[in-house]
Amino acid sequence: MRRFPSCIGFVVVLLLSTGACLDELRFYLRSEPKTFNPAVVADDASETIRYLTGGVLLRLNRQTQRVEPELAQAWKISRDGRTITFQLRSGIYFSDGTPFSALDVKYTMEQLMDPALHSPTGDAFRSGSGRVDTLVYSPEKIAVTFPHPVAGVERLFDQVAIVSARSPKKEAAVLGPFYVGDYKPGAYVYLRKNPNYWKRDEAGHSLPYLDAVKLEIQANRDIEMLRFSRNEVHLINSMDADYFDRLSRIAPGKARDAGPSLDSEQMWFNQYPGAPLPAYKLEWFQSRNFRRAISQAIHRDDLCRVVYGGHASPALGPVSPANRFWFDAQLKPVAFNQQEALKLLQEDGFQLSKGVLHDHGGHPVEFSIVTNSGNRSREKMATMIQSDLRSLGITANVVTLDFASLIQRISEDFNYEAALLGLVNVELDPNAQMNVWLSSSEEHQWNPKQKSPSTVWEAEIDRLMRAQASALDDRIRKRYFDQVQEIVADQVPFIYLVNKNALVGISPLVQGVSPVAVRPQTYWNIERVKLAAEKASNGN
Amino acid sequence: MKGMRRVAMGLASLLILFSMVAGLLSRFDYMRQDRMCIDARPSPEHWLGTDALGRDRFSRLVHGTRVSLMLAPAAAGLSTLLAFALGAAPGFLGKFHERIARTFIDLVLSMPWLFLLLMVRTLLPLNISPKASVAVTFLMLGLLGWGVPARILLARARRLRQSEFVLFARCTGVSRCRLLGIHLMPNLWPVMLAQFLIAVPVFILAEANLSLLGLGVAEPLPSLGSLLRELETILSVRGDLCSFSALAVLVLIVSSLQIVASQSEVH
């Protein structure tokens, strides 16, 4: 009789140990997800959940940067560029068992284009006024027709997670590798393996290999680093160079530099005519020679080496070399040359006397550079730029502001002189930068909301951006966009400083991760990621 | 205890002297960036090594100590004076004045200072020199930091007002001004000194935090507060003891001043 309780104990221990052997990948979300509805995703945390749970018709392979078939096994774009026809896979089911068909694609597109929903994903498809129509030919074939041609339309479907038209679970029924199993606000989002996921590996095993993904919500990077170094979390999707260097020292095998990312850091001068700035300063900032001189006076190599510990490269223009197709290889790096910079300034009537640069009106050249407080890399860059410009007799005052005040100043009051900020590029396609380059746009930072282009070169950029957006051949589009990049390099509305490298942390417990420069850097191939036995690599 | 007080006073004086002759002590300009020598260990050239931008840590420490030791006590003095004027004096004058002062202090303490500081930042021009910025910061701290000491001084002044010797003085016809000068000030002096000494490190640290609002000491000017910001993340824990030098100086200053103050209160 004594054996009975011990048998129960053994079974309990066995069950517990089986539970502990679940292949559960853990990493951090740095903020609370704002939504689980894939159509209205606008923040990083929600985007992570959409990527891990959403099934899409086409997927951009983050490594090859090419579009690949997913739920659609084939697709065709019409000659006029307005219609894309998908041939869907058959025999696919949502996570709750509801079958997938063309009706779900139709329903998803209708949801996305519903003006009442204000879907950011849907906005990308709006090429002009008019309706987006869908035509279901059969349960496996559907055509989507846009009112105007949409350049690079197939890439946009990478963001469109298909939602079931019939499932009572609505958005909770998914076609991706995982589904949301549990959510505790402020603590974690628990994703479980989708039992109905359609993909199999070469050996015929069902994917994904992982049983679950636990996304813990934590904004504090110090805690993330500590728990990562103890193997309590398995991935860090992006980290600053300081943290990367620390990680490289304490656990060299875990820190991985995936090369230049799409993100850039840049500085620009306020050229807005209505800005509350003295007329002479506005004149400096609107001068091409002045902007070029400042650009040449900044030692970008030092920024990369000192601020980013070598994990960055001098930026050449609006597109990072990581964006293989759209990067203009003809662009030349801006050489650090303070003599040349001084010559350019002298052409505009600036004079250096007693170590202070004066303009033709005798005003000493002094301006402020605003950046967001708390971002140590930007603060360091601003201080280094301040030091570089001092050699030219220019006084640059570094002002750090909280983010809300900064955005208020650069987007609403225009009460600033120069700003130093970064641009996070998620998309490879130049259409995603339309809002930056069109002179009428609110995001045209140096001089936004122009009724008509105020300079000839901005008018030319407008023309080229519109031309590339309406061309259907990618080679023709590239030719137009290359010209945009060359104009930007010549006129320097943005002084591009550095392209940061994609720095990630990967636990040795994780197998199959191949970090890339494009987001999501570490888990883009989540289906093929495995966890090794914990004992094997506890020693970092 | 007398010996300890002497040591503390000597140390405090030495630190103050050390910061006053900062220019003579440091071999490098505090803003000079030697970009080929970043995060360097201590050496005969750089006694405390260099920071992340290759600036001489010793030079920044002595200059930063000078900035903080000049301005934090000035701001603390201003706030203590305001606390006396707006807390102690009304508390001593009578119930009516005391009630008005208490209401005003409560109102000031309940105000959302963060938003007020943001408003101040908006009103200030962006293009002010680092020296002007640091002066404005400490002036703001002095003007805003009197609420808590005022409440403490008010309570002590009320007790003094009700004490027998003050009652006797009033009965003999001593004027209010004389009462304030002869009876109130000497009796409140130890409390005021304690409040002043508490405010000095608080203001040094507050200045570091205000930089988040764009109000603190602007680059490249160093201050103890801005040097302490290097320690805000886990990255500072890397065995480089020199990065803790600003903290060590702050601890030395605060503890010496506290010992001096506590001894003077006892005497």
Side-chain angles (χ1 to χ4, degrees):
Chain A
M1 283 302 283
R2 276 186 190 171
R3 279 185 188 170
F4 184 65
S6 60
C7 283
I8 292 176
F10 176 74
V11 171
V12 168
V13 169
L14 193 70
L15 283 173
L16 283 173
S17 62
T18 314
C21 284
L22 264 182
D23 276 343
E24 178 190 289
L25 185 79
R26 291 184 296 273
F27 61 96
Y28 278 132
L29 293 177
R30 287 178 181 160
S31 61
E32 194 79 25
K34 294 199 167 52
T35 180
F36 288 123
N37 182 350
V40 291
V41 165
D43 59 294
D44 266 357
S46 306
E47 173 57 34
T48 299
I49 292 161
R50 178 168 73 177
Y51 190 87
L52 295 172
T53 60
V56 293
L57 298 177
L58 308 172
R59 180 63 92 198
L60 180 79
N61 183 317
R62 265 55 178 181
Q63 200 162 43
T64 61
Q65 298 186 4
R66 290 180 182 280
V67 178
E68 291 176 351
E70 281 277 304
L71 295 169
Q73 56 188 341
W75 73 95
K76 193 178 174 190
I77 299 169
S78 65
R79 277 172 181 249
D80 64 1
R82 289 178 54 223
T83 303
I84 181 164
T85 307
F86 295 103
Q87 184 64 46
L88 308 178
R89 293 179 201 274
S90 54
I92 291 176
Y93 295 88
F94 283 88
S95 55
D96 66 338
T98 314
F100 161 69
S101 76
L103 287 173
D104 300 312
V105 179
K106 179 182 168 67
Y107 173 75
T108 304
M109 288 309 294
E110 283 169 357
Q111 289 279 303
L112 281 184
M113 304 316 294
D114 180 358
L117 196 66
H118 300 293
S119 163
T121 312
D123 287 345
F125 288 99
R126 285 184 231 281
S127 55
S129 55
R131 263 176 66 88
V132 174
D133 289 318
T134 46
L135 181 60
V136 175
Y137 293 105
S138 72
E140 282 91 37
K141 192 173 180 186
I142 185 169
V144 184
T145 304
F146 301 94
H148 300 277
V150 182
V153 67
E154 68 274 27
R155 288 187 188 88
L156 300 179
F157 281 91
D158 178 72
Q159 308 268 313
V160 180
I162 303 299
V163 180
S164 171
R166 287 168 288 177
S167 168
K169 289 193 168 181
K170 307 236 169 181
E171 305 96 45
V174 294
L175 290 162
F178 299 93
Y179 69 94
V180 177
D182 192 12
Y183 169 47
K184 195 172 177 191
Y188 62 82
V189 182
Y190 198 80
L191 307 180
R192 289 181 200 283
K193 178 177 178 170
N194 177 0
N196 298 324
Y197 190 55
W198 60 278
K199 270 194 193 172
R200 307 213 162 251
D201 67 6
E202 293 72 21
H205 298 126
S206 70
L207 293 172
Y209 295 127
L210 296 167
D211 296 315
V213 177
K214 189 173 186 184
L215 305 166
E216 297 186 39
I217 299 161
Q218 176 59 260
N220 188 318
R221 303 209 171 175
D222 288 340
I223 294 175
E224 183 179 37
M225 182 64 74
L226 276 175
R227 292 201 59 205
F228 178 72
S229 59
R230 290 186 209 145
N231 284 334
E232 289 169 7
V233 289
H234 301 115
L235 297 175
I236 299 180
N237 210 38
S238 72
M239 66 177 115
D240 294 339
D242 290 344
Y243 284 95
F244 184 83
D245 281 343
R246 178 177 156 77
L247 188 63
S248 304
R249 278 196 298 274
I250 59 172
K254 288 181 167 185
R256 303 268 283 273
D257 183 341
S261 71
L262 299 179
D263 301 345
S264 61
E265 295 288 320
Q266 68 248 33
M267 178 180 153
W268 71 92
F269 289 102
N270 184 1
Q271 300 181 46
Y272 184 63
L277 300 177
Y280 64 89
K281 283 198 175 179
L282 213 51
E283 192 186 328
W284 303 344
F285 302 156
Q286 288 173 346
S287 156
R288 169 180 169 268
N289 278 352
F290 181 83
R291 297 192 301 266
R292 285 176 68 104
I294 299 294
S295 177
Q296 287 198 322
I298 297 171
H299 205 309
R300 288 171 174 77
D301 287 330
D302 276 359
L303 295 183
C304 297
R305 192 172 48 78
V306 175
V307 180
Y308 293 98
H311 304 293
S313 46
L316 306 182
V319 178
S320 160
N323 190 343
R324 288 176 215 148
F325 183 75
W326 295 103
F327 171 68
D328 182 2
Q330 301 299 316
L331 293 181
K332 291 191 173 61
V334 182
F336 170 69
N337 189 337
Q338 295 206 320
Q339 290 306 316
E340 192 61 35
L342 197 58
K343 268 187 205 164
L344 281 170
L345 289 166
Q346 282 166 347
E347 279 177 27
D348 270 14
F350 290 89
Q351 288 300 326
L352 185 64
S353 66
K354 293 177 187 166
V356 179
L357 191 74
H358 292 86
D359 69 1
H360 57 78
H363 304 104
V365 181
E366 180 177 6
F367 57 81
S368 58
I369 304 173
V370 291
T371 189
N372 57 317
S373 56
N375 187 318
R376 296 185 74 86
S377 301
R378 283 190 194 135
E379 287 174 15
K380 281 185 200 168
M381 274 201 287
T383 309
M384 290 180 72
I385 291 169
Q386 181 185 51
S387 173
D388 285 340
L389 296 182
R390 201 180 301 124
S391 314
L392 280 183
I394 296 173
T395 305
N397 297 312
V398 178
V399 182
T400 57
L401 295 173
D402 64 290
F403 208 73
S405 303
L406 180 63
I407 297 300
Q408 169 90 11
R409 277 183 187 267
I410 63 175
S411 308
E412 290 175 35
D413 306 340
F414 305 108
N415 186 9
Y416 73 101
E417 291 171 345
L420 195 164
L421 277 176
L423 188 69
V424 175
N425 273 318
V426 180
E427 302 270 342
L428 296 171
D429 197 279
N431 275 350
Q433 296 188 19
M434 208 73 171
N435 56 348
V436 174
W437 298 117
L438 289 185
S439 59
S440 55
S441 166
E442 288 187 10
E443 311 291 321
H444 191 71
Q445 293 295 357
W446 68 89
N447 184 6
K449 295 186 270 191
Q450 298 175 37
K451 283 183 182 144
S452 60
S454 58
T455 59
V456 176
W457 59 270
E458 281 172 292
E460 181 63 1
I461 289 180
D462 282 0
R463 186 188 71 77
L464 290 165
M465 284 306 288
R466 289 203 175 96
Q468 72 79 26
S470 56
L472 297 173
D473 186 334
D474 274 352
R475 282 167 303 178
I476 297 170
R477 292 184 66 208
K478 169 120 172 65
R479 217 175 297 145
Y480 287 133
F481 193 59
D482 279 355
Q483 286 182 56
V484 172
Q485 293 179 64
E486 281 149 26
I487 293 172
V488 171
D490 182 58
Q491 293 293 335
V492 204
F494 284 127
I495 298 174
Y496 287 97
L497 301 170
V498 297
N499 289 123
K500 295 184 286 183
N501 286 9
L503 305 176
V504 301
I506 300 165
S507 163
L509 296 175
V510 185
Q511 296 173 346
V513 172
S514 170
V516 292
V518 186
R519 283 159 201 252
Q521 293 89 338
T522 51
Y523 56 87
W524 62 274
N525 59 340
I526 189 73
E527 306 141 332
R528 291 173 187 273
V529 171
K530 286 180 185 173
L531 277 180
E534 206 137 333
K535 281 181 207 164
S537 41
N538 256 349
N540 297 339
Chain B
M1 289 303 279
K2 207 172 175 184
M4 197 171 176
R5 188 183 171 210
R6 278 190 187 152
V7 170
M9 274 184 84
L11 191 59
S13 312
L14 195 69
L15 284 168
I16 291 166
L17 185 72
F18 159 83
S19 64
M20 292 305 132
V21 293
L24 296 175
L25 285 175
S26 51
R27 299 166 62 195
F28 297 96
D29 187 345
Y30 64 82
M31 62 173 93
R32 177 179 169 267
Q33 298 175 1
D34 182 354
R35 296 178 184 173
M36 299 312 287
C37 182
I38 55 171
D39 284 324
R41 299 263 167 189
S43 64
E45 196 178 7
H46 299 287
W47 297 340
L48 291 176
T50 59
D51 69 3
L53 295 180
R55 296 175 295 192
D56 183 57
R57 232 188 252 283
F58 178 76
S59 176
R60 290 184 68 74
L61 180 67
V62 288
H63 281 92
T65 308
R66 178 164 70 176
V67 167
S68 295
L69 280 188
M70 276 168 71
L71 293 170
L78 177 64
S79 77
T80 313
L81 277 178
L82 285 172
F84 178 79
L86 298 167
F92 193 70
L93 289 176
K95 278 188 181 172
F96 175 71
H97 295 94
E98 183 197 330
R99 210 171 298 147
I100 292 174
R102 203 189 309 141
T103 309
F104 183 56
I105 292 167
D106 286 347
L107 186 74
V108 167
L109 286 175
S110 62
M111 277 180 70
W113 290 114
L114 183 71
F115 295 102
L116 191 79
L117 288 167
L118 283 173
M119 207 171 77
V120 170
R121 174 63 267 182
T122 314
L123 294 174
L124 281 174
L126 288 176
N127 243 330
I128 54 173
S129 69
K131 282 177 184 162
S133 170
V134 71
V136 168
T137 302
F138 280 105
L139 183 67
M140 293 278 304
L141 290 171
L143 289 174
L144 302 177
W146 57 269
V148 174
R151 189 179 256 185
I152 293 164
L153 289 175
L154 188 144
R156 183 60 76 95
R158 184 180 51 210
R159 212 182 301 159
L160 283 171
R161 188 185 75 214
Q162 293 161 351
S163 65
E164 286 180 0
F165 74 94
V166 172
L167 201 62
F168 181 75
R170 285 172 67 188
C171 290
T172 55
V174 177
S175 71
R176 281 183 169 184
C177 288
R178 201 171 157 74
L179 274 175
L180 277 171
I182 292 182
H183 293 295
L184 183 68
M185 277 295 273
N187 281 293
L188 279 184
W189 178 248
V191 186
M192 285 172 68
L193 185 64
Q195 291 304 313
F196 169 81
L197 292 169
I198 289 168
V200 172
V202 168
F203 286 172
I204 289 173
L205 292 174
E207 173 264 307
N209 293 326
L210 279 180
S211 64
L212 290 174
L213 304 176
L215 270 176
V217 178
E219 288 282 4
L221 193 69
S223 69
L224 277 182
S226 64
L227 295 174
L228 285 171
R229 280 191 68 207
E230 282 185 35
L231 306 176
E232 70 187 356
T233 67
I234 194 172
L235 298 167
S236 54
V237 190
R238 54 185 173 198
D240 181 5
L241 288 176
C242 293
S243 59
F244 291 88
S245 51
L247 185 65
V249 168
L250 181 70
V251 169
L252 280 176
I253 291 169
V254 174
S255 50
S256 339
L257 292 178
Q258 290 293 339
I259 291 169
V260 173
S262 61
Q263 293 298 305
S264 63
E265 200 170 351
V266 168
H267 285 281

